[in-house]
Amino acid sequence: MRKVWLLTLGAFTLGLDAYVMAGLLSVLADDIGTRVSLAGQLVTVFTLAYAISAPLVAGLLAGVRPRVLILAALAVFTLGNGVTALAPSLGALLAARVVAGAGAGVYSALSTAAAAALVPEARRGRALALVMGGMSAGTVLGVPIGVLLAEHTGWRTTMWLVTGLGAVALGGLAALLPPVPAAPAVPVRARLAAIADRAVAPVVAVSFLAAVASLGLYTYLAPVLAAAGGVGEVAPYLWAWGVGGVLGSVLAGPLVDRTGRAGRLVGVVLVVIVVAQALLPSLASVALPGAVAALVAWGAAGWALQVPQQHRLLALRADRGTVALALNNSALYLGSAVGSALGGLALAVGAAPYALPWAAAGVAAAGLALHLATGRRSRVAARVGTLGSYEHS
């Protein structure tokens, strides 16, 4: 598992970079002389570059040695953040964020596939959990530190911190990462087929809906708590959500390995998300400690979900696991962007902030319904296949 820790450091840096920019928008906009709404597009282009690059590059270069691609992707990511720290204008910043997002998307997909390939199958869940735990820890620990650093020394210092962490991870991986087993080359037709794959598509769709509900709502946690419970200082509640995220992403792996029932764990996790989000406004209005408990549960479930999801994709399509994981990572970032956009649109047309968790819980419930329906179809197909084999024997 020591080899996986090297990949986790890179994932930590990705988690920091993906979420810290949202906390820097105001100070960044003041520094370069633009509006916050325009500066917010830095998050959009990073997200889109991440989502598009992951399946595209991971599929096109599936025959290339994974170790080379992992190092190249992390180098591109680090370069993009260095240029971000130096960029003098909004246009230059947008270009730099595209570069950083492209590197992040490719690294994320390849690092999870490599983590699973570097350990025995019995420890695959733990390996995936370590990488996901790195991303969640980057969000929980890195984002508050990065925002605090920006408030005292400027947003460029925070970006240099991200660049430095990326360089350290790159150096460590270049020196110590062993050769990673290469996935089979995936033809263009097979890459396109993965998008419409009846086994892969429903799993990825569940990840998308969960991201819309979980990561989308997280963007508006401050106004939700202010409207529901009169919370003025939201930082402790963000920490509660984040600490839950670290616990969930780390504990999910051993649960998958021990039970061997990734599909059932996905169902349980989605139920927790639905219940926690649905109860959040009421708990915040009655007792803030209850809101903290709901946030810990929601954060833990939201981050835990992707460990069994990735495990399921690798089991379903071992022949093109890298492409399937890349699609899943893209779904996460697209879901986050869609959730944030829908939440912002709802507030813009006059929706009450405390109603957003109920809407998010509805989206998560739709993901749960899709997951259960998919599982039912799979069980029926398996029984039909078994009956057919008996008839021919």
Side-chain angles (χ1 to χ4, degrees):
M1 295 293 284
R2 292 178 182 176
K3 297 170 284 190
V4 178
W5 279 103
L6 296 170
L7 298 167
T8 302
L9 176 58
F12 176 91
T13 310
L14 261 64
L16 167 58
D17 192 35
Y19 291 95
V20 76
M21 186 58 71
L24 304 179
L25 293 181
S26 296
V27 65
L28 185 151
D30 290 340
D31 182 56
I32 64 174
T34 189
R35 297 192 301 273
V36 172
S37 59
L38 289 176
Q41 301 312 306
L42 297 171
V43 178
T44 302
V45 297
F46 180 93
T47 301
L48 290 177
Y50 186 113
I52 293 171
S53 68
L56 180 64
V57 176
L60 287 172
L61 301 179
V64 180
R65 287 179 297 173
R67 186 180 187 277
V68 173
L69 286 179
I70 289 170
L71 295 177
L74 192 54
V76 169
F77 168 77
T78 303
L79 174 64
N81 282 298
V83 175
T84 300
L86 294 170
S89 64
L90 180 61
L93 280 168
L94 289 169
R97 297 316 290 158
V98 168
V99 173
V106 176
Y107 178 84
S108 179
L110 293 176
S111 63
T112 50
L118 288 171
V119 298
E121 186 173 354
R123 298 177 68 84
R124 180 183 288 175
R126 288 180 175 85
L128 292 171
L130 273 178
V131 177
M132 288 302 298
M135 289 196 70
S136 60
T139 303
V140 175
L141 303 176
V143 169
I145 293 172
V147 172
L148 183 65
L149 185 63
E151 290 174 351
H152 289 84
T153 61
W155 66 272
R156 295 182 190 274
T157 305
T158 298
M159 297 314 302
W160 281 123
L161 171 64
V162 177
T163 304
L165 289 173
V168 170
L170 178 60
L173 287 169
L176 301 174
L177 183 67
V180 178
V186 183
V188 175
R189 183 175 298 178
R191 289 199 303 273
L192 295 175
I195 300 175
D197 191 312
R198 292 185 179 182
V200 171
V203 177
V204 173
V206 169
S207 291
F208 172 80
L209 292 172
V212 171
S214 189
L215 297 176
L217 180 61
Y218 174 75
T219 306
Y220 302 101
L221 191 55
V224 166
L225 292 176
V231 174
E233 177 52 59
V234 75
Y237 301 93
L238 295 176
W239 278 93
W241 184 87
V243 168
V246 172
L247 292 174
S249 58
V250 170
L251 294 177
L255 278 175
V256 172
D257 289 340
R258 191 171 301 156
T259 64
R261 305 216 173 165
R264 181 168 295 181
L265 182 58
V266 169
V268 172
V269 163
L270 286 170
V271 169
V272 173
I273 294 175
V274 172
V275 172
Q277 291 185 332
L279 293 178
L280 180 60
S282 300
L283 291 174
S285 65
V286 175
L288 290 178
V292 170
L295 287 167
V296 171
W298 163 25
W303 281 99
L305 177 67
Q306 291 314 308
V307 174
Q309 284 286 85
Q310 291 170 343
H311 202 280
R312 292 175 68 209
L313 288 170
L314 289 171
L316 286 169
R317 288 293 179 263
D319 57 333
R320 50 177 179 240
T322 300
V323 176
L325 290 178
L327 287 172
N328 192 65
N329 285 333
S330 296
L332 289 179
Y333 271 72
L334 287 174
S336 176
V338 169
S340 298
L342 291 177
L345 180 61
L347 294 178
V349 299
Y354 62 78
L356 291 183
W358 296 330
V363 175
L368 174 62
L370 175 60
H371 172 70
L372 294 176
T374 302
R376 190 176 297 112
R377 285 199 301 269
S378 298
R379 289 191 294 272
V380 170
R383 286 198 294 269
V384 171
T386 301
L387 290 174
S389 66
Y390 279 127
E391 292 174 358
H392 288 86
S393 61

